[in-house]
Amino acid sequence: MILEYAGFVNADGAFPPYRNGQLIWAENLLGGIIFGIGMTLASGCGNKALIRVGGGNIKSVMVVLIIAVIAYYMINPFPGSDQTLFTVLFYDWIRPLAIDLTGNQDLGTLVAGTESAVSVRLVIGLLLGALLLVYVFRSAEFRGSRDNILGGLVVGLAVLAAWYVTSSVMVDVDDEPTSLPSYVQNWEFVSDSEEGKPADSRPLNAQSFTFINPMAQAFGYTKEAFDSSYLTFGVVAFVGVILGSLLWALISGGFRIEWFASGKDFLAHFIGAILMGIGGVLAMGCTIGQAITGVSTLAIGSFIAFAGIVFGSALTMKIQYYKLVYEDEANFVSALTAS
């Protein structure tokens, strides 16, 4: 909020469009729940799966590949068709539940209107940040863990840095700084040929870290034989996390090959990956993409998606715990009811 107030970040036109004036609350909520269930079954969210890939976990390789394919076809048509997985499964019944707002859906705009939104966002952001700091540092366990403090600080700064960098990249056109999306949208006026033109201008908007859609982008980039026009910030971030994890695993001696413990373990990861691919796109983000990056824009949909992720994950863990404790008498219905 501070960087946005100072004019260094443009989150209104972000990719994904967190502050879109159409509040797709049902998609945020249902997608979050589906994603939360999936990440619990698959032993972690999309970001964790990438980290585990770098550490040598073959299970996570399968998870990432499945997420990438499912997420890709959630937003791209099937071969020889104009239908996506989203339009087949969800669009007709869930999109009519969306609420059209008169302005953006962030807390600042909803509280004070468009004209004062930036200032009010700053106040709300600072208050929420202060409350979160008080909450986490009340825990002696958290205060006593340098890893928790350092990890949280690094993740937060990385998200902030990505917002700043992607908002600041400009192209010089006749001595006039032009944003990348504007440059691509006016390509025929500023370029002599189609060579090098990005396939889509939307992923060039200001953005920060999220991992489900970039997995789909990485699949599309591979599918198009690594055509540079399909190379995006998300694809580079996807590769960067894996390489960073691999480097740390080699330095720390933590690299080890890990495979499925049983057929049941394989099935859980397989189903979990499918649910993460569906839920991550439907919710418009994952634990990083919505709970951190999206929430940093104060978008209502991001808070809803985060709540759905927490609920789906907590419910699934409670079901797993119930079935573990009452193994002889537990079935899914009794476990779900108790949970």
Side-chain angles (χ1 to χ4, degrees):
M1 295 301 105
I2 294 174
L3 288 182
E4 185 177 30
Y5 183 80
F8 294 121
V9 168
N10 175 25
D12 280 347
F15 178 80
Y18 296 111
R19 291 176 177 168
N20 193 350
Q22 186 179 58
L23 178 60
I24 51 172
W25 65 271
E27 294 169 46
N28 293 141
L29 181 60
L30 179 60
I33 292 173
I34 292 173
F35 183 86
I37 295 170
M39 78 175 204
T40 307
L41 293 175
S43 304
C45 65
N47 180 46
K48 185 175 181 181
L50 293 178
I51 292 172
R52 295 176 71 188
V53 168
N57 192 302
I58 307 300
K59 295 193 290 186
S60 294
V61 173
M62 184 199 76
V63 169
V64 169
L65 290 175
I66 292 173
I67 292 175
V69 174
I70 296 295
Y72 180 83
Y73 286 112
M74 277 287 287
I75 53 181
N76 291 280
F78 297 114
S81 169
D82 61 353
Q83 294 286 331
T84 67
L85 195 55
F86 172 73
T87 58
V88 171
L89 296 178
F90 299 103
Y91 183 84
D92 287 341
W93 65 271
I94 203 168
R95 188 51 61 89
L97 300 176
I99 300 173
D100 290 320
L101 304 173
T102 55
N104 289 340
Q105 61 171 278
D106 64 276
L107 291 175
T109 302
L110 293 177
V111 169
T114 303
E115 292 185 2
S116 304
V118 175
S119 299
V120 175
R121 284 181 205 135
L122 176 63
V123 174
I124 294 174
L126 291 174
L127 285 174
L128 287 178
L131 289 173
L132 282 172
L133 286 174
V134 170
Y135 176 76
V136 296
F137 280 102
R138 284 181 61 190
S139 168
E141 182 181 357
F142 183 88
R143 292 196 308 270
S145 172
R146 183 179 300 177
D147 287 348
N148 282 342
I149 297 172
L150 180 61
L153 186 63
V154 169
V155 170
L157 288 175
V159 168
L160 190 65
W163 275 123
Y164 174 74
V165 170
T166 58
S167 297
S168 303
V169 176
M170 295 287 174
V171 178
D172 189 296
V173 180
D174 297 328
D175 296 325
E176 287 290 333
T178 304
S179 68
L180 289 178
S182 296
Y183 186 86
V184 175
Q185 289 162 10
N186 295 284
W187 188 273
E188 62 272 20
F189 300 109
V190 297
S191 181
D192 296 329
S193 71
E194 291 291 302
E195 184 179 356
K197 181 181 179 180
D200 187 355
S201 64
R202 291 172 301 174
L204 301 176
N205 288 343
Q207 60 191 283
S208 190
F209 290 99
T210 185
F211 291 101
I212 301 302
N213 189 274
M215 289 183 190
Q217 292 175 18
F219 176 72
Y221 178 54
T222 305
K223 185 170 171 286
E224 297 297 330
F226 304 106
D227 184 339
S228 61
S229 65
Y230 290 86
L231 187 61
T232 64
F233 172 85
V235 173
V236 176
F238 167 88
V239 175
V241 170
I242 294 175
L243 292 179
S245 174
L246 173 62
L247 179 62
W248 177 249
L250 294 175
I251 291 173
S252 64
F255 184 89
R256 69 179 186 276
I257 302 298
E258 184 178 344
W259 186 242
F260 298 99
S262 63
K264 185 177 180 181
D265 187 35
F266 171 85
L267 184 61
H269 282 77
F270 182 80
I271 294 173
I274 293 174
L275 294 178
M276 278 201 285
I278 293 173
V281 172
L282 195 60
M284 214 166 67
C286 55
T287 48
I288 298 292
Q290 281 288 33
I292 300 179
T293 298
V295 165
S296 73
T297 70
L298 300 181
I300 297 298
S302 297
F303 287 98
I304 294 173
F306 179 36
I309 292 171
V310 172
F311 176 78
S313 179
L315 180 66
T316 307
M317 285 190 288
K318 286 183 176 293
I319 290 173
Q320 290 174 331
Y321 178 75
Y322 183 91
K323 294 182 73 173
L324 180 67
V325 173
Y326 301 100
E327 185 176 355
D328 295 335
E329 55 195 77
N331 57 56
F332 179 77
V333 175
S334 62
L336 178 62
T337 304
S339 299

